């Protein structure tokens, strides 16, 4: 839309902006968008503002119908502008001037000097930005004044132009332009030229209506005079539903007849068609020409219905109504006749003339018998179906085909959220109905879900999809990287953001410059025209699609641009949706993977194997962990956060971190889940999350969890769960049992305690933990899944890795619809030869005996070099237990990956590390223990507590 109150400072800003534009600087803020787009198109075709070569074509003319419609409008406009120094230019659909009216001698002379005169080409690609060529390129009205013209020679003028369209087909038939000197220019010129164009289009429509009526009258007259057809009975008229077979035709039959009739009008070389109808009936369609008294020529399609008692009017609306262009919305009855016998020879056409028209071979009437044998006394009825112009009929068929193609595109493009697959769907829809070859090129960032950045010449693109009716004729293949040179249509469309048409590729030097040798072979293969369209969505250019034609009888035309842009626009939205989904999916997946464990922790209690399978769509909150604990024990954790996406992944990370922190406190399994339940409840209430900003977590947090602790010394395993599926235990002999473990409520509900079950596991048993995605989906319930799992697990002498593979192969042959986490742990035992234990009375005298026992045991293990340190640590811990604790004292050494020294007592009080002052006589024991050991800590037991330390083995 052109604002009507714009004035432009040609001496200052625009001159400077034009010069800066030619040097490659950005001038978006200084120049109107439509003008800047035109400047970019002019630069892309190599125009130079100071040198123009304007071709001249003598004898240009417009269609007589258009001239008859335009003449009174132009005369009236010329009269109204007689006192104003302004000319009126009428150009053809290619931008070449046919007529120039009005204007004073000074203005006409100056226009002649710049070759803005009849016979000269005013298209944008020849003379740059102007009222004629830019209106044609923009396919809409434009106003250009002063330095907005790209060419230097046109800057003294102001002009307003608009296309003149055929109101039936929508095709641009001409361009109307008003031009004056710059100082006389006014944006109101745009309103004048638009009103004049609308008047011409209205007169074109009136002429079409008169022509149709004349053709219909000629058809009726021909029926009465030539063949003696009786007139219709009084009181009846065509278009009224009568009796007979036609009245009984259903809507589907009527639609089929109409579609076939329009296709027959559009086909210049076809004269006959047979249509099968419901109820065993058929219709023969006959195409013939008629000529009116004033010389109008048209085409009629008649229908002969076989199998009914009589054909009533079928009320088909031809393309002259709201349903399409240029046919008569009327059905005319023909006489009932007895069909001629079938000929023995091949049928042939006889050429006659209709009454009222001269004998001419261009007005044939085909006299053809039905190609089907008639039964005795067959019943037939003839009717006129459609009458109209073959050219407009062709446009009607093309319009229907385009609507069907767009409908199919809406269904078939964007069925997945995969960028490459969406590009392939665009190519599949376009070939072969619109093009013979189609290619989609996208930058690599789009394929990865990232923002593409500015695209233009030399930007590397990836050929993502190719559609072809036959073997590709030397075009780039899928996966190839393409860099388009600046002169190619693809680069021009990426720079301007508009579709580019090359109707004759053999003459398109810019296209050939990409790879002359390769593209010469493409031309040899028969490709003759091209449309390139940028894939733009939400203000971002994502790539470019190229449509080529070779086998189609006609090259691409201007009217094909709108269909190509519509196809590309729909596909671009789907590609952008897929790109955004890919970005979000990759982000969530990267977050989730960063939060899951990496590798296997060092521990000797169990041999583990695990699998994690993300869902088909989105990421979930499933997680697992193997966490080494004090005393050579290990914690096995499997959890599942409800939902999918970033929120679930982030919540999973927070819960996993919390489990690690709680494990460092050596909490019992039921205590740990109680703390985790409290944390999930606080997350659900939004505590601790963006408190300063007043924002809370999105959505309700829900999670399940199974927590198990295995001790390789006692071979006992303590398990507890919060709403999680039952764990399975596979014995060394292959027997499978699901642990009868109280369910517990999911995390976050609060208020209910969790129960712990302890099992003694034989060495070599396998503990199988998993999430519900393994055993439950919408196609099977959980009980059936558990039975399948039991069957798969039943087997001896399997390693954890083999168990994982067997379970996934049997239960998940395809990618799951929900996340799946599977953890298999085969138990090991820490034998008596690696454990030393002493029961000590609460007597200070036993401290020396404990040191001796430790020294002796270390010598037996070959760890004499640790004797001094371990003696000191054991002495300090035993002394503290005797002095400050109650109950029996126990000293234990474990030789695992580290040397573990533990002292247990019956007190629930934990020692506190402090740093003694210089004058203090005590308080340094625990500090020394912390300095001499690698780790130390406290864990509580039902009977009291255990102080433990770890020293690395030499």
């Amino acid at each position: 839309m052109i604002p009507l109150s714009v004035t432009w400072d040609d001496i200052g800003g625009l001159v400077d902006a034009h010069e800066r534009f030619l040097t490659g600087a950005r001038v978006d803020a200084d120049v109107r968008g439509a003008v800047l787009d035109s400047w970019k198109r002019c630069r892309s075709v190599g125009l130079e503002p100071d040198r123009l070569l304007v071709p001249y074509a003598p004898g240009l003319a417009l269609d007589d119908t258009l001239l008859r419609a335009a003449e009174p409008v132009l005369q009236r406009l010329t009269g109204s502008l007689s006192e104003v120094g302004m000319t009126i230019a009428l150009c053809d659909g290619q931008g070449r001037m046919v007529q120039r009216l009005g204007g004073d001698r000074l203005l006409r002379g100056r226009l002649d000097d710049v070759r803005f005169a009849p016979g000269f080409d005013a298209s944008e690609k020849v003379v740059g930005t102007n009222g004629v060529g830019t209106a044609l390129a923009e396919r809409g009205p434009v106003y250009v004044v002063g330095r907005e013209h790209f060419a230097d020679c046109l800057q003294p003028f102001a002009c307003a132009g608009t296309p003149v369209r055929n109101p039936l087909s929508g095709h641009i038939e001409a361009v109307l332009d008003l031009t004056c000197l710059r100082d006389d220019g006014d944006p109101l010129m745009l309103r004048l030229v638009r009103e004049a164009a609308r008047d011409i289009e209205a007169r074109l429509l009136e002429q079409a209506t008169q022509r149709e009526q004349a053709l219909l009258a000629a058809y009726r007259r021909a029926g009465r005079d030539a063949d003696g057809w009786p007139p219709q009975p009084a009181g009846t008229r065509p278009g009224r539903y009568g009796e007979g077979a036609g009245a009984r035709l259903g809507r589907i039959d009527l639609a089929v007849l109409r579609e076939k009739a329009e296709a027959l009008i559009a086909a210049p070389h076809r004269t006959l068609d047979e249509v099968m109808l419901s109820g065993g009936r058929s219709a023969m369609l006959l195409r013939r020409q008629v000529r009116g008294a004033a010389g109008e020529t048209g085409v009629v399609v008649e229908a002969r219905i076989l199998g009914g008692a009589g054909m009533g009017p079928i009320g088909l609306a031809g393309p002259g109504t709201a349903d399409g262009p240029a046919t008569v919305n009327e059905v005319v009855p023909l006489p009932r006749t007895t069909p001629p016998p079938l000929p023995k020879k091949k049928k042939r056409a006889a050429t006659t003339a209709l009454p009222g028209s001269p004998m001419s071979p261009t007005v044939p009437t085909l006299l053809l018998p039905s190609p089907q044998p008639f039964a005795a006394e067959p019943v037939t009825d003839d009717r006129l179906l459609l009458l109209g112009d073959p050219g407009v009929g062709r446009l009607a068929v093309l319009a229907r085909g385009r609507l069907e193609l767009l409908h199919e595109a809406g269904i078939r493009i964007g069925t997945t959220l995969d960028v490459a697959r969406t590009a392939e769907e665009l190519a599949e829809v376009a070939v072969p109905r619109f093009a013979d070859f189609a290619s989609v090129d996208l930058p690599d960032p789009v394929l990865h879900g990232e923002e593409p950045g500015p695209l233009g010449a030399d930007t590397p693109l990836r050929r993502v999809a190719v559609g072809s009716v036959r073997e590709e004729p030397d075009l780039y293949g899928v996966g190839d990287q393409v860099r388009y040179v600046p002169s190619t249509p693809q680069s021009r469309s990426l720079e301007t953001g508009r579709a580019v048409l090359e109707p004759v590729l053999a003459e398109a030097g810019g296209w050939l410059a990409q790879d002359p040798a390769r593209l010469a072979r493409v031309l040899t293969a028969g490709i003759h025209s091209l449309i390139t369209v940028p894939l733009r969505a939400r203000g971002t250019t994502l790539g470019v699609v190229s449509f080529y034609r070779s086998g189609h009888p006609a090259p691409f035309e201007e009217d094909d641009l709108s269909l190509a842009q519509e196809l590309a626009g729909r596909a671009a939205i789907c590609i952008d949706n897929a790109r955004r989904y890919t970005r979000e999916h990759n982000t969530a997946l990267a977050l989730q993977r960063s939060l899951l464990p990496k590798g296997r922790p060092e521990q000797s209690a169990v041999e583990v194997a695990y699998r994690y399978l993300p869902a088909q769509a989105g990421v979930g909150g499933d997680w697992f962990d193997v966490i080494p604990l004090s005393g050579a024990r290990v914690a096995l954790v499997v959890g599942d956060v409800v939902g999918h996406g970033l929120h679930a992944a982030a919540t999973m990370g927070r819960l996993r971190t919390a489990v690690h922190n709680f494990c460092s406190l050596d909490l019992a399994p039921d205590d740990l889940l109680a703390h985790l339940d409290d944390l999930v409840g606080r997350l659900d209430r939004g505590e601790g999350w963006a408190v300063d900003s007043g924002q809370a977590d999105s959505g309700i947090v829900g999670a399940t969890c199974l927590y198990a602790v295995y001790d390789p010394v006692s071979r006992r395993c303590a398990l507890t769960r919060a709403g999680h599926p039952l764990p399975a235990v596979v014995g060394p002999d292959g027997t499978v049992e699901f642990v009868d473990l109280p369910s517990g409520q999911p995390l976050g509900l609060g208020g209910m305690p969790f129960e712990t079950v302890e099992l003694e596991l034989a060495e070599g048993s396998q503990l199988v933990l998993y999430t519900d995605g393994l055993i439950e989906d919408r196609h099977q319930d959980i009980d059936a899944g558990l039975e399948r799992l039991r069957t798969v697990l039943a087997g001896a002498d399997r390693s954890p890795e083999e168990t994982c593979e067997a379970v996934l192969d049997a239960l998940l042959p395809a990618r799951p619809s929900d996340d799946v986490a599977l953890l298999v742990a085969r138990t090991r035992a820490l034998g008596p030869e690696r454990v030393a234990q002493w029961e000590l009375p609460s007597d200070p005298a036993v401290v020396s005996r404990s040191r001796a026992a430790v020294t002796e045991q270390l010598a037996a293990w070959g760890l004499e070099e640790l004797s001094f340190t371990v003696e000191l640590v054991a002495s300090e811990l035993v002394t503290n237990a005797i002095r400050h604790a109650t109950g029996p004292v126990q000293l234990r050494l474990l030789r695992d990956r580290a040397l573990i020294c533990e002292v247990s007592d019956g007190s629930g009080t934990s020692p506190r590390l402090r740093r003694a002052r210089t004058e203090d006589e005590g308080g340094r024991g625990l500090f020394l223990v912390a300095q001499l050991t690698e780790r130390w800590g406290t864990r509580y037991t039902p009977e009291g507590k255990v102080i433990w330390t770890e020293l690395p083995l030499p």
Side-chain angles (χ1 to χ4, degrees):
M1 190 71 177
I2 303 297
L4 299 182
S5 60
V6 176
T7 59
W8 302 97
D9 182 8
D10 292 337
I11 305 303
L14 264 180
V15 174
D16 178 65
H18 189 268
E19 296 301 327
R20 287 189 288 113
F21 172 80
L22 295 177
T23 62
R26 293 181 62 88
V27 294
D28 303 53
D30 303 319
V31 184
R32 288 188 294 145
V35 173
L36 182 58
D37 290 342
S38 176
W39 286 4
K40 291 178 179 179
R41 291 193 296 269
C42 296
R43 184 177 60 183
S44 68
V45 298
L47 283 184
E48 299 182 25
D50 56 343
R51 286 192 295 273
L52 297 180
L53 181 60
V54 185
Y56 176 77
L60 292 177
L62 294 173
D63 180 73
D64 290 341
T65 303
L66 179 61
L67 288 176
R68 286 197 301 270
E71 183 177 0
V73 177
L74 296 181
Q75 289 179 352
R76 185 172 63 251
L77 185 60
T78 303
S80 65
L81 299 176
S82 59
E83 303 298 327
V84 181
M86 190 175 298
T87 64
I88 306 165
L90 184 63
C91 305
D92 64 11
Q94 286 73 48
R96 299 171 300 184
M97 190 180 298
V98 178
Q99 291 183 5
R100 194 181 70 188
L101 308 172
D104 55 29
R105 181 181 300 178
L106 173 62
L107 178 60
R108 291 197 302 270
R110 299 193 64 173
L111 292 176
D112 289 340
D113 293 339
V114 297
R115 298 183 178 179
F116 192 74
F120 287 100
D121 193 339
S123 62
E124 189 181 72
K125 63 182 179 181
V126 174
V127 299
T129 309
N130 71 94
V132 175
T134 304
L136 196 58
E138 294 281 341
R139 302 176 70 83
V142 297
Y143 176 67
V144 183
V145 58
R147 204 56 186 124
E148 289 185 330
H149 291 90
F150 187 78
D152 296 340
C153 62
L154 297 181
Q155 63 90 15
F157 304 100
C159 52
T162 189
V164 178
R165 299 176 181 272
N166 186 317
L168 300 176
S169 67
H171 190 271
I172 295 178
E173 302 287 350
V175 181
L176 188 62
D177 172 86
L178 297 180
T179 299
C180 64
L181 293 176
R182 182 185 61 193
D183 295 339
D184 298 330
D186 192 316
L188 289 175
M189 295 164 56
L190 189 64
R191 179 177 176 181
L192 291 176
V193 75
R194 291 174 65 181
E195 291 178 351
R198 282 198 291 266
D199 290 344
I200 296 174
E201 292 169 354
R203 291 182 58 83
L204 281 172
L205 185 60
E206 292 173 0
Q207 290 187 33
T209 304
Q210 295 170 3
R211 177 175 176 277
E212 292 168 5
Q213 296 299 328
L215 288 176
L216 181 59
Y219 177 81
R220 289 172 170 165
R221 185 172 60 253
R224 290 193 301 271
D225 297 342
D227 300 323
W229 294 345
Q232 296 185 33
T236 65
R237 63 179 180 85
R240 178 182 300 170
Y241 281 84
E243 299 177 354
R248 293 191 298 273
L249 287 178
R251 287 186 296 176
I252 295 179
D253 286 341
L254 299 180
V256 170
L257 282 175
R258 170 183 172 173
E259 181 178 353
K260 295 296 184 180
E262 291 181 358
L264 200 57
I265 282 183
H269 304 297
R270 293 178 57 201
T271 57
L272 193 68
D273 196 3
E274 180 181 11
V275 183
M276 300 307 298
L277 304 175
S278 62
R281 293 171 294 182
S282 64
M284 295 302 301
L285 303 185
L286 179 66
R287 176 186 191 272
R288 64 187 181 91
Q289 289 182 298
V290 292
R291 174 176 293 178
E296 303 90 348
T297 59
V299 174
V300 298
V301 175
E302 302 167 347
R304 168 166 288 189
I305 308 299
L306 306 178
M311 170 92 175
I314 62 177
L316 286 177
T321 67
D323 293 323
T327 53
V328 176
N329 182 20
E330 193 160 9
V331 180
V332 181
L334 304 183
R336 295 284 302 274
T337 60
T338 301
L342 288 173
K344 296 182 179 179
K345 296 183 179 180
K346 188 175 182 180
K347 56 192 178 185
R348 60 185 179 87
T351 301
T352 63
L354 296 178
S357 64
M359 181 67 69
S360 169
T362 62
V363 192
T365 300
L366 296 178
L367 306 176
L368 301 174
S370 172
Q372 296 183 348
F374 290 97
E377 298 297 328
V379 180
T380 67
D381 201 1
D382 292 350
R383 286 296 184 270
L384 166 67
L385 288 183
L386 292 175
L387 181 150
D389 186 335
V392 179
R394 170 180 170 272
L395 294 173
V397 173
L398 289 176
R400 176 186 289 114
R402 289 169 177 167
L403 288 175
E404 292 173 350
L405 181 59
L406 291 176
H407 174 70
E408 183 179 356
I411 295 175
R412 293 179 55 188
I413 299 177
T415 59
T416 68
L417 287 172
D418 181 82
V419 174
R421 179 57 193 150
T422 305
E424 291 170 358
E425 289 169 344
L426 170 58
E428 291 169 359
V429 168
V431 177
R433 295 183 60 179
F434 180 65
D436 297 304
F437 302 92
S439 63
V440 182
D441 303 322
L442 305 174
D444 286 338
V446 171
L447 295 174
H448 302 150
E450 303 167 6
E451 293 291 339
L455 301 182
D458 290 334
T459 301
L461 302 177
R462 184 78 57 188
R463 179 63 49 90
V464 179
V466 171
S468 175
V469 295
R470 52 186 172 84
E471 186 178 354
E472 302 163 23
D474 290 295
L475 292 172
Y476 295 101
V478 174
D480 291 348
Q481 191 178 71
V482 186
R483 290 179 180 268
Y484 289 108
V485 299
S487 63
T488 57
Q490 288 84 355
S491 287
R492 286 152 49 196
S493 65
L494 287 174
E495 183 176 0
T496 62
R498 296 177 177 271
V500 175
L501 167 64
E502 291 289 356
V504 184
L505 280 178
E507 301 175 1
W511 177 74
L512 288 168
Q514 174 70 24
D515 189 340
R518 176 197 293 263
L519 299 183
R521 294 193 297 270
V522 171
L523 292 176
T524 304
I527 287 184
H528 51 66
S529 58
L530 162 70
I531 289 179
T532 65
V533 189
L535 293 167
R536 289 183 55 82
R538 302 179 178 97
T540 302
T541 301
L542 304 172
V544 64
V545 56
S546 302
F547 302 106
Y548 296 88
R549 275 189 181 173
S550 62
H552 277 69
F556 286 118
E557 303 173 351
E558 287 284 342
D559 290 340
D560 293 314
L561 282 174
S562 58
L563 178 58
Q565 290 172 326
E566 183 68 22
L567 278 176
R570 296 190 180 196
I573 291 294
C574 296
I575 289 175
D576 192 50
N577 290 340
R579 178 190 68 82
R580 291 168 180 261
Y581 169 79
T582 300
R583 179 183 62 192
E584 298 298 329
H585 180 73
N586 290 343
T587 301
L589 199 58
L591 172 63
Q592 186 186 42
R593 287 174 176 170
S594 69
L595 297 174
L596 287 173
K598 298 176 178 61
R600 296 175 174 87
E602 293 185 358
Q603 50 83 33
S604 303
V606 291
E607 177 189 354
V608 298
Y610 54 83
R611 296 289 187 274
Y612 175 78
L613 278 72
Q616 289 180 352
V619 296
D622 292 15
W623 91 92
F624 62 91
D625 250 320
V626 179
I627 306 172
L629 302 177
S630 63
R633 299 169 306 136
V634 66
L636 306 173
V637 191
V638 172
D640 184 1
V641 175
V642 175
H644 292 84
L646 283 173
H647 180 66
T651 302
M652 177 270 288
R654 299 166 80 179
L655 295 185
R656 180 171 177 257
T657 302
V659 170
H660 274 264
N661 291 333
F662 295 149
C663 283
S664 67
L665 300 176
D666 265 322
L667 297 178
D670 52 347
D671 287 341
L672 185 144
L673 285 191
H675 281 76
L676 204 60
D677 177 62
D678 181 61
L679 172 64
V680 173
R682 284 187 282 117
L683 291 178
D684 224 3
R685 296 189 298 271
E687 298 177 17
W689 178 261
V691 175
D692 294 339
S693 63
Q695 298 175 354
D697 280 339
S698 58
I700 300 299
V701 176
T704 65
C705 184
L706 174 62
Y707 184 78
V709 176
Y710 174 70
D711 187 345
V713 178
S714 64
R715 292 186 288 105
R716 297 194 64 81
C717 182
L719 305 97
T720 186
R721 64 175 179 145
H724 204 80
L726 290 172
V729 175
V730 184
D733 58 353
T735 58
V736 180
E737 294 292 339
F738 288 101
V739 181
D740 187 12
L741 186 62
S743 172
Q745 59 188 7
L747 299 174
L749 299 182
M752 297 296 291
F754 298 96
E755 298 184 41
T756 301
V757 171
E758 282 200 12
L759 305 173
E760 184 172 340
L761 301 178
E763 185 176 3
S765 299
Q766 290 191 7
L767 189 61
V768 181
L769 313 180
Y770 50 89
T771 55
D772 59 356
L774 181 69
I775 58 173
E776 184 181 19
D777 59 26
R778 60 173 179 252
H779 302 298
Q780 76 171 3
D781 60 25
I782 190 169
D783 293 332
L786 288 174
E787 284 305 313
R788 293 180 61 193
L789 179 61
R790 180 194 299 272
T791 303
V792 176
L793 291 176
D797 299 328
R798 276 184 184 159
S799 68
E801 287 288 343
E802 292 171 341
T803 301
C804 286
E805 290 297 328
V807 169
L808 294 186
D809 289 344
L811 273 67
L812 297 174
R815 190 175 178 185
S817 57
D818 190 12
D819 287 22
V820 172
L822 174 64
L823 178 63
V824 179
R826 183 162 63 183
T827 62
R828 295 169 177 161
L830 205 62
E833 71 280 0
R834 301 170 65 182
V835 180
Q837 182 173 309
W838 301 274
E839 300 290 338
L840 304 175
S842 297
D843 183 357
V846 302
V847 176
S848 60
R849 295 202 300 270
S850 66
R851 288 199 297 266
V854 166
T855 302
E856 181 180 354
Q857 184 63 53
L858 291 178
W861 283 342
L863 301 176
E864 293 88 347
E865 60 185 279
L866 295 179
S867 296
F868 175 77
T869 303
V870 178
E871 280 183 24
L872 181 59
V873 170
S875 174
E876 179 62 32
L877 295 181
V878 170
T879 300
N880 283 342
I882 293 174
R883 286 182 176 179
H884 304 293
T886 60
V889 177
Q890 185 184 77
L891 172 63
R892 187 171 74 164
L893 295 181
L894 304 176
R895 183 183 177 186
D896 191 35
R897 292 179 178 270
L899 182 65
I900 302 171
C901 178
E902 297 180 343
V903 174
S904 60
D905 57 56
S907 171
T909 304
S910 175
R912 181 172 61 90
L913 175 67
R914 69 184 182 90
R915 289 169 173 79
R917 291 171 294 183
T918 306
E919 62 273 12
D920 290 345
E921 296 182 1
R924 297 178 177 84
L926 203 57
F927 178 78
L928 291 175
V929 170
Q931 295 298 312
L932 294 174
T933 60
E934 189 174 60
R935 294 196 308 153
W936 76 279
T938 304
R939 71 173 180 269
Y940 294 93
T941 66
E943 297 80 16
K945 69 175 182 297
V946 176
I947 309 298
W948 57 268
T949 64
E950 289 184 3
L951 289 85
L953 295 177

